């Protein structure tokens, strides 16, 4: 098998990497950036720090800070209108998954036109849009290194996955210092999202030797440090490991795939507006328990990469992985959907729809055990009460 690998052309990784934006723009021959971020970062002073550096370098950026969590077609269109009102040669995505995904979407629309729905998978958008420079502020989504963006069509609550090289940032500035002030809940949710990317990339039917190496290393960086950043947000060594692990996990799944957890997670996000990392966390132990018997050697390798004390037997190691994922959810105060306050009647009524949407996304087809709609429905019922 020939693995198809795609990476950002340039990355800067480490403390202070985000300060190198003016230099990186110069290296790429870009000078008119359109910066996409969110209202929280705009209000926190982080955006001003970024733009002051650009101005000092003789570059005057335009900032769009009205992105929303789980970007919608309307929010991307608003960013596009702001971009089209000026003259820009690149888009800088500064923030978590939502600003980065908005930046990617608007970069494609700016060059190739809308509507956004036209780009929904299986459409493949390899032809480049405006160049995107990604600066993540959460150790989670990995979007700085993936060839995907996700935009919700608010007309039918559908999370549209968009795929292609056009969404792969040309440059990623991976600066863990941006995560030192990240709120606790966001730290946990985005961290479990990153761990899920690494595990799913590794157990996926589309895994390959290239993605395997990155996925295993990402698990080794994320698993021992998740509780540390939860307990002590200022733990620099743990934050650095989490940030690098999240980016490596992003590269891994972008060059392999995600699987059943993400397939089931997206409908929960779309219908109940649960944060992406949190809905993954709600699902991860039960889906791993469901899948592990079909690939116990792969799940055992995950347990070992995560540094769990396991014996030589694969099946017992895979069971230890499930136990650890349950313990992690307990330690990081991950609620069940019921504890989170979702409506029981709505949950039950939507299970058939969510199961269909999960299957239609294609992600469950990459799972070691490919589930039926009935099995997915049973998993949704199982996770309800935790
Ligand atoms: Fe994810």
């Amino acid at each position: 098998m020939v693995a198809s690998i795609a990476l950002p052309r340039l990355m800067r990784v480490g403390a202070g990497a985000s300060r190198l934006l003016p230099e990186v723009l110069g290296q790429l021959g870009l000078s008119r950036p359109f910066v996409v971020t969110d209202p929280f970062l705009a209000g926190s002073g982080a955006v001003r720090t970024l733009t002051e550096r650009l101005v000092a370098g003789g570059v005057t950026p335009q900032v769009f800070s009205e992105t929303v969590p789980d970007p919608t077609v309307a929010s991307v269109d608003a960013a596009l209108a702001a971009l089209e009102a000026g003259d820009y040669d690149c888009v800088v995505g500064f923030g978590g998954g939502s600003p980065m995904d908005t930046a990617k979407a608007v970069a494609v629309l700016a060059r190739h036109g809308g509507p956004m729905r036209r780009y929904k998978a299986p459409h493949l958008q390899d032809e480049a849009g405006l160049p995107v420079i990604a600066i993540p502020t959460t150790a989670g989504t990995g979007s700085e290194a993936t060839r995907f963006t996700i935009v919700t069509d608010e007309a039918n609550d559908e999370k549209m996955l968009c795929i292609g090289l056009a969404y792969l940032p040309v440059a990623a500035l991976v600066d863990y210092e941006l995560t030192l002030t990240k709120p606790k809940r966001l730290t946990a949710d985005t961290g479990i999202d990153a761990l899920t990317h690494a595990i799913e990339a590794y157990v996926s039917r589309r895994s390959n030797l290239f993605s395997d190496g990155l996925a295993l290393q990402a698990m080794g960086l994320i698993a021992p440090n998740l509780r540390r950043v939860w307990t002590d947000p200022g733990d620099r060594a743990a934050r650095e490991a989490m940030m690098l692990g999240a980016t490596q996990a992003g590269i891994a799944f972008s060059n392999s795939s995600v699987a059943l957890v993400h397939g089931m997670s997206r409908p929960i996000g779309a219908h109940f507006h649960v944060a992406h990392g949190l809905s993954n966390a709600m699902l991860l132990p039960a889906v791993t328990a469901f899948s592990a018997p079909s690939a116990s050697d792969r799940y055992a390798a995950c347990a070992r990469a995560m540094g769990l004390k396991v014996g030589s037997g694969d099946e017992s190691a895979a069971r230890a992985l499930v136990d650890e994922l349950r313990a992690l959810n307990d330690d990081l105060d991950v609620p069940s959907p019921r504890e989170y306050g979702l409506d029981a009647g709505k949950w039950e009524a939507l299970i058939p729809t969510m199961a269909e949407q999960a299957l239609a996304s294609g992600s469950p087809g990459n799972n070691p055990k490919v589930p039926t709609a009935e099995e997915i429905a049973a998993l949704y019922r199982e996770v309800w009460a935790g």
Side-chain angles (χ1 to χ4, degrees), residues 140-141 193-194 196-197 253 258 262 276-277 280:
T141 157
D193 185 30
T196 309
H197 294 154
F253 89 82
V258 286
H262 274 76
H276 171 70
N280 279 344

Side-chain angles (χ1 to χ4, degrees), residues 46-129:
V47 173
R48 195 175 343 111
T49 306
L50 190 77
T51 53
E52 278 173 355
R53 239 171 239 118
L54 288 171
V55 172
V59 170
T60 307
Q62 174 69 35
V63 177
F64 177 84
S65 60
E66 302 308 310
T67 64
V68 298
D70 296 325
T72 58
V73 170
S75 72
V76 171
D77 284 346
L80 181 64
L83 186 150
E84 287 180 335
D87 176 25
Y88 306 102
D89 61 3
C90 61
V91 182
V92 176
F94 180 69
S98 299
M100 287 193 285
D101 278 6
T102 302
K104 293 172 169 194
V106 85
V108 165
L109 294 185
R111 190 160 282 174
H112 301 286
M116 194 70 228
R117 172 158 284 280
R118 184 155 75 84
Y119 299 93
K120 183 186 139 181
H123 174 86
L124 193 63
Q125 183 61 37
D126 282 339
E127 196 184 339

Side-chain angles (χ1 to χ4, degrees), residues 168-307:
L168 184 65
V170 293
L173 311 186
V174 182
D175 183 351
Y176 74 88
E177 288 188 331
L178 297 172
T179 67
L180 289 168
T181 53
K182 199 165 59 149
K184 210 167 176 182
R185 186 72 262 151
L186 188 64
T187 294
D189 295 346
T190 52
I192 296 179
D193 185 30
L195 181 62
T196 309
H197 294 154
I199 293 174
E200 296 212 290
Y202 187 74
V203 302
S204 166
R205 289 167 179 258
R206 293 168 64 188
S207 67
N208 54 77
L209 282 173
F210 182 92
S211 59
D212 282 356
L214 286 154
L216 291 172
Q217 195 178 349
M219 286 178 236
L221 288 167
I222 296 165
N225 288 296
L226 246 173
R227 289 179 178 88
R228 282 178 59 180
V229 292
W230 171 257
T231 309
D232 177 8
D235 184 331
R236 294 177 66 90
R239 287 289 196 190
E240 182 170 23
M242 290 295 301
M243 194 65 159
L244 179 58
T247 297
Q248 289 184 322
I251 296 173
F253 89 82
S254 185
N255 290 293
S256 168
S257 79
V258 286
L260 182 55
V261 177
H262 274 76
M264 290 180 64
S265 178
R266 292 188 207 103
I268 297 176
H271 293 289
F272 294 94
H273 306 288
V274 177
H276 171 70
L278 185 58
S279 54
N280 279 344
M282 290 168 172
L283 293 161
L284 183 59
V287 172
T288 303
F290 169 82
S291 308
S294 299
S296 50
D297 57 335
R298 302 292 281 180
Y299 285 94
C302 294
R304 294 185 185 107
M306 286 166 59

Side-chain angles (χ1 to χ4, degrees), residues 22-34:
E23 177 189 316
V24 166
L25 288 177
Q27 255 185 306
L28 296 167
L30 301 167
S31 59
R32 301 188 308 281
F34 182 75

